[in-house]
Amino acid sequence: MSQPSISSKRRLLFIFTAVSLVLFGLIIRLGWIQIVRGEKYKELANRYQTRDIPIPAKRGVIYDRNGKELAISASTNTVWVHPNEVDEPEKTAAVLSSILELDEETVLKKIKTSQYIVKIAPYIDDERAKAIRAERLKGISVSEDNKRFYPYGNFAAYILGHTTDDNKGMAGIELEYEKYLSGIPGRWIKNTDGAGRQLSFSTEKYHQAENGLNVVLTIDEVIQHFAEKAVQNALEVNKAKRVSVIVTDVKTGEVLAMAVKPDYDPNSPRTPIDEELKKQIETMDQEKQLEAWYAMWRNPVINDTYEPGSTFKLLTTAAALEEGVVTPQSTFVDNGYIMVAGQRIRCWRWYNPHGHQTLVEAVQNSCNPVFVELGQKMGVETFYNYLDGFGVSDITGIDLPGERKSLMYSINNVGPVELATISFGQSISVTPIQLVNAVAAIANDGKLMKPRIVKELTDDDGNVVHRFEETMIRQVISEKTSKTMREMMEAVVADGSGSHAYIPGYRVGGKTGTAQKVVGKGYAQGLYVSSFVGIAPADDPKLAILAIVDEPQGFSTYGSTTAAPIVKEVLEETLRYLDIKPKYTDKEEEEFGRAKVTIPEVRNITVKEASKILIDNNLQFNTEPEYYADENAIVVDMFPKPGANVPEKSIILLYTKPNENIPSTVEVPDLKGKTIKEVNIILNNLGLKLKISGSGLASSQYPEVGTTVETGTIISVEFKPE
């Protein structure tokens, strides 16, 4: 056998060496991939093979104290994209943008992102969801979702707040109780191949979403309805910038109603109800729009301060009585002014001084010099101790976001003039919730309660998970002083400036207030904040109420004629709703006493039939505005209930729903030349909605007069100044 040549051996050695080096390199590379970079490639494999589909939790329901749903989660659909699974981005973007009516470039940008999963469009209807599923687009999935919905529109907007597009709380209760309402989202995790098919060796994991807890408010939907109706009416009558009302339970600190107008619709929080404001926001840049939105969402009852004016005199009087520096029979002489540290401080009626008067009469007359004297007799330190006691120097701790502290002089900076002006409600700014809570303490035998707006948290089965108990903060004044103050407050309504809050058969106490607004560094001429704070019944207080009219521009700017009527309207309806019986004096019985009528049963019949029965029984009625009722609407509930005894001509509240068996149509009436209030009443009686543009008197409308439309149709009316 011949021996291999030297050249052959060299070639074999070269090949062996090359193969060995290649194999060694592959081993090194394999080791590098499996050992050194193993975790990274494992992560990449999991990333491209694993599909993690979010399962949103159902947001908890917000109820009023009687179980009426004020905020719910409606089922809807959300479109998602897994960018790494999309084969034809341009085609996919074109199809989606066509179905969803979105900008194609925006959709394409989301599809081409490097993220694992991206939301294309939230809250689409079932029809569009079905259309997208029918296209069978690779990398596109449509999942069930929940959208926040507020059945009553702008009802209690500043209490409920609203959510973001991602269903996160943005304001009000939605923000304050976000961690309870939101729940815990679920996940569906599975391994798939490049075509989206589930791998046979994969392990599928499904984590069920945990629904959020339900929040039960202290708010009573009926009382809130009374408050909102009164506030809206006062806003129009007084041509005011804003009107607010808050009603609390004196004994527990529970907020029963909190109404502010103008407001916004939480279902569409970035679209103002006011057409003029809407047009202004549309022309703003993004930064200005944000400022305008946050201003619109701001709850003035909690987040804003104001000078309380004469309503603050109740605190000064209570403190002075408790300290024993005066008695109700103490006498004073008003010359129209008082000199303090060389400065003349005038009474509001300086041109016609009150002259000789007792403390009771001074409270009725709201005489500034008398309260300056009370402040001087107590001194700064003592007076400030009582202000601390009434809770006006700190936040109340109410469970709503962004509560603001009062604006007060530091005690070291309070001189004789500052003490004098604070004594009658100037040079100090408080929030409405602070003032009404302090007055509630005066009425509640001197006990200051912590205000609260949430009663309890419940689960899906209605079980109470947590109950928020009433909390007494401190005893501020004695029961004796409290009783004296209630009598003095009642005298203000019976014989003083608060007569517009008088309700026959009920002992109402209160105090008016009219304060010039502070703008910049001084008081603005012609701009006022008018208010009235009240309690009822004065002999056994159940309710405390504060009404504030910001910048009234109507026939009057005084709290006695702008705010007091609001309090009367809300209290009159609320006291009857709470079944607090009127107790007429002999004089009232003669003037206001009416025969009793037993309320007949009118449920499950039409409004037309119900109205005839009620009128025949000498009763009146109103329909609940949550439905657009016409004479064919069905009465589903009523208040008071059948069988209750009420005075003749009492108003019975009828809760209605559309009659599905009778398609209802009406002719559009002529609205020209009528006020907003008149138009609203006319359309509401016909079961039509109103869309307002401008202010003043109606000048044009659409649809036109005589057009036949279905009940529930929106009638656009343009109003122009008279």
Side-chain angles (χ1 to χ4, degrees):
M1 172 181 261
S2 60
Q3 295 294 322
S5 62
I6 297 299
S7 59
S8 297
K9 290 181 178 181
R10 288 175 177 173
R11 284 196 296 271
L12 288 172
L13 181 61
F14 176 77
I15 293 171
F16 175 76
T17 302
V19 171
S20 297
L21 289 173
V22 170
L23 290 176
F24 182 73
L26 291 174
I27 292 171
I28 295 296
R29 179 61 178 167
L30 186 61
W32 175 264
I33 292 173
Q34 290 188 329
I35 299 173
V36 179
R37 303 297 299 276
E39 286 301 319
K40 178 184 177 181
Y41 288 113
K42 181 180 179 181
E43 181 182 339
L44 288 173
N46 286 332
R47 177 180 174 184
Y48 287 103
Q49 290 179 350
T50 303
R51 296 193 67 176
D52 188 351
I53 302 173
I55 303 171
K58 188 175 182 180
R59 196 170 179 84
V61 178
I62 300 178
Y63 296 99
D64 88 323
R65 66 187 300 118
N66 298 315
K68 182 158 286 188
E69 294 177 342
L70 302 181
I72 61 176
S73 292
S75 296
T76 182
N77 304 279
T78 295
V79 182
W80 299 86
V81 61
H82 294 265
N84 61 302
E85 298 178 12
V86 178
D87 290 338
E88 301 176 285
E90 288 77 11
K91 180 182 176 182
T92 302
V95 173
L96 289 177
S97 61
S98 175
I99 295 174
L100 299 172
E101 297 181 3
L102 297 175
D103 179 64
E104 187 173 338
E105 290 186 7
T106 303
V107 175
L108 183 60
K109 186 177 180 181
K110 290 182 178 181
I111 291 175
K112 287 187 174 182
T113 185
S114 59
Q115 297 179 25
Y116 170 67
I117 187 171
V118 178
K119 183 185 293 185
I120 295 292
Y123 313 140
I124 66 169
D125 55 43
D126 291 339
E127 186 177 338
R128 292 184 179 182
K130 184 178 180 181
I132 292 174
R133 290 190 180 103
E135 293 290 338
R136 298 183 179 276
L137 301 170
K138 291 191 65 176
I140 302 299
S141 61
V142 181
S143 63
E144 290 187 4
D145 204 346
N146 297 300
K147 183 182 186 300
R148 205 56 165 170
F149 179 64
Y150 304 88
Y152 305 117
N154 61 329
F155 182 82
Y158 288 107
I159 299 171
L160 302 175
H162 61 277
T163 60
T164 65
D165 291 340
D166 294 325
N167 239 14
K168 303 295 182 184
M170 186 72 177
I173 290 296
E174 297 281 23
L175 175 59
E176 186 73 8
Y177 284 84
E178 166 66 20
K179 65 179 180 180
Y180 301 109
L181 287 164
S182 59
I184 302 174
R187 300 171 69 188
W188 180 20
I189 304 171
K190 60 181 180 178
N191 296 108
T192 61
D193 59 17
R197 296 185 294 264
Q198 187 166 347
L199 299 174
S200 58
F201 59 82
S202 68
T203 56
E204 183 177 0
K205 294 182 180 180
Y206 186 87
H207 301 279
Q208 181 68 44
E210 185 177 327
N211 293 339
L213 295 175
N214 305 317
V215 173
V216 181
L217 303 179
T218 61
I219 296 297
D220 189 307
E221 183 267 340
V222 176
I223 300 176
Q224 180 72 22
H225 164 69
F226 295 152
E228 297 222 357
K229 182 180 66 171
V231 165
Q232 183 62 47
N233 180 54
L235 183 74
E236 297 168 6
V237 169
N238 295 292
K239 301 177 182 178
K241 177 182 178 181
R242 178 183 287 133
V243 180
S244 309
V245 162
I246 179 169
V247 184
T248 67
D249 185 315
V250 166
K251 306 294 185 184
T252 65
E254 293 179 341
V255 178
L256 302 177
M258 184 186 293
V260 181
K261 298 290 182 182
D263 52 13
Y264 70 99
D265 187 347
N267 290 305
S268 183
R270 290 178 177 79
T271 305
I273 295 175
D274 181 74
E275 288 295 326
E276 291 185 11
L277 179 59
K278 180 180 178 181
K279 292 176 181 178
Q280 291 175 12
I281 290 180
E282 288 174 350
T283 61
M284 296 177 181
D285 58 34
Q286 188 173 3
E287 185 177 345
K288 292 292 184 181
Q289 281 184 339
L290 285 173
E291 292 178 3
W293 288 333
Y294 281 115
M296 183 171 65
W297 301 333
R298 189 178 182 86
N299 183 352
V301 175
I302 305 296
N303 307 139
D304 290 344
T305 61
Y306 76 110
E307 283 201 359
S310 295
T311 54
F312 197 77
K313 293 172 182 175
L314 294 176
L315 278 64
T316 305
T317 307
L321 287 171
E322 185 68 17
E323 277 299 296
V325 298
V326 289
T327 68
Q329 291 73 39
S330 296
T331 58
F332 303 86
V333 178
D334 171 37
N335 296 314
Y337 66 92
I338 186 171
M339 297 301 297
V340 178
Q343 293 195 33
R344 177 176 295 196
I345 298 178
R346 299 192 303 186
C347 178
W348 66 271
R349 211 178 78 175
W350 56 271
Y351 52 87
N352 182 19
H354 295 105
H356 187 276
Q357 57 190 333
T358 64
L359 179 63
V360 175
E361 291 170 332
V363 174
Q364 292 178 23
N365 297 330
S366 199
C367 183
N368 291 347
V370 173
F371 296 94
V372 173
E373 288 189 48
L374 297 185
Q376 291 173 335
K377 289 180 178 181
M378 286 186 287
V380 177
E381 186 173 346
T382 298
F383 189 32
Y384 261 53
N385 285 338
Y386 279 97
L387 296 187
D388 291 341
F390 281 118
V392 298
S393 59
D394 199 0
I395 61 173
T396 65
I398 188 172
D399 41 350
L400 281 172
E403 184 182 4
R404 188 174 178 182
K405 291 184 66 173
S406 59
L407 299 177
M408 298 173 58
Y409 284 108
S410 167
I411 191 169
N412 297 323
N413 295 327
V414 178
V417 175
E418 289 76 21
L419 175 61
T421 54
I422 292 172
S423 298
F424 58 82
Q426 289 187 0
S427 302
I428 183 172
S429 289
V430 299
T431 61
I433 187 65
Q434 285 177 319
L435 182 65
V436 75
N437 203 49
V439 173
I442 292 175
N444 185 31
D445 292 333
K447 298 180 181 70
L448 181 71
M449 306 301 292
K450 180 180 178 180
R452 59 195 173 102
I453 205 163
V454 172
K455 196 176 185 70
E456 57 196 19
L457 304 175
T458 64
D459 60 20
D460 287 341
D461 297 323
N463 301 312
V464 177
V465 177
H466 180 76
R467 180 172 283 111
F468 298 90
E469 302 293 344
E470 60 188 66
T471 304
M472 175 183 165
I473 300 175
R474 67 180 71 88
Q475 184 85 31
V476 188
I477 58 176
S478 66
E479 291 185 19
K480 179 181 177 181
T481 301
S482 172
K483 183 175 183 295
T484 302
M485 286 299 303
R486 296 199 299 267
E487 291 171 351
M488 295 174 71
M489 292 171 70
E490 185 179 1
V492 172
V493 174
D495 304 310
S497 59
S499 60
H500 285 90
Y502 167 73
I503 305 173
Y506 294 100
R507 297 176 62 179
V508 178
K511 184 72 186 75
T512 59
T514 306
Q516 203 167 4
K517 286 192 72 172
V518 176
V519 178
K521 296 183 179 180
Y523 291 97
Q525 293 296 322
L527 298 182
Y528 296 89
V529 177
S530 305
S531 58
F532 186 93
V533 63
I535 58 170
D539 54 334
D540 183 20
K542 300 290 192 300
L543 305 172
I545 180 171
L546 172 63
I548 301 173
V549 182
D550 188 2
E551 296 185 18
Q553 302 294 328
F555 62 92
S556 173
T557 58
Y558 293 110
S560 58
T561 51
T562 58
I566 303 173
V567 169
K568 176 182 179 179
E569 182 178 347
V570 176
L571 283 181
E572 190 168 21
E573 293 182 302
T574 301
L575 290 168
R576 288 175 179 167
Y577 165 69
L578 296 176
D579 200 27
I580 298 175
K581 305 297 184 184
K583 300 175 183 177
Y584 295 106
T585 63
D586 292 340
K587 182 179 178 181
E588 288 175 334
E589 186 68 41
E590 182 180 342
E591 185 177 355
F592 300 104
R594 291 175 288 179
K596 299 292 183 180
V597 177
T598 301
I599 299 177
E601 173 65 85
V602 295
R603 289 173 293 190
N604 300 317
I605 61 177
T606 65
V607 171
K608 182 178 181 180
E609 294 168 330
S611 64
K612 185 177 186 306
I613 294 173
L614 292 175
I615 292 171
D616 288 345
N617 282 271
N618 207 13
L619 294 169
Q620 303 177 44
F621 71 95
N622 278 336
T623 55
E624 169 62 30
E626 63 188 81
Y627 296 107
Y628 300 99
D630 65 298
E631 61 180 13
N632 293 316
I634 300 296
V635 178
V636 294
D637 203 354
M638 58 192 294
F639 180 85
K641 300 294 184 184
N645 292 320
V646 297
E648 289 182 338
K649 298 182 180 179
S650 292
I651 297 176
I652 309 302
L653 189 62
L654 302 180
Y655 294 84
T656 68
K657 71 175 183 179
N659 190 341
E660 297 177 356
N661 298 322
I662 302 177
S664 180
T665 60
V666 294
E667 286 190 1
V668 177
D670 187 359
L671 305 171
K672 292 180 182 178
K674 292 180 172 55
T675 65
I676 293 177
K677 181 180 179 182
E678 291 171 336
V679 169
N680 195 41
I681 293 172
I682 292 171
L683 295 184
N684 187 53
N685 289 336
L686 292 173
L688 300 173
K689 302 181 191 178
L690 171 62
K691 182 178 181 182
I692 298 173
S693 174
S695 61
L697 299 179
S699 62
S700 62
Q701 62 186 81
Y702 181 82
E704 296 179 354
V705 179
T707 305
T708 300
V709 297
E710 293 184 357
T711 54
T713 299
I714 297 175
I715 308 300
S716 298
V717 182
E718 182 179 359
F719 293 85
K720 291 186 178 180
E722 301 178 32

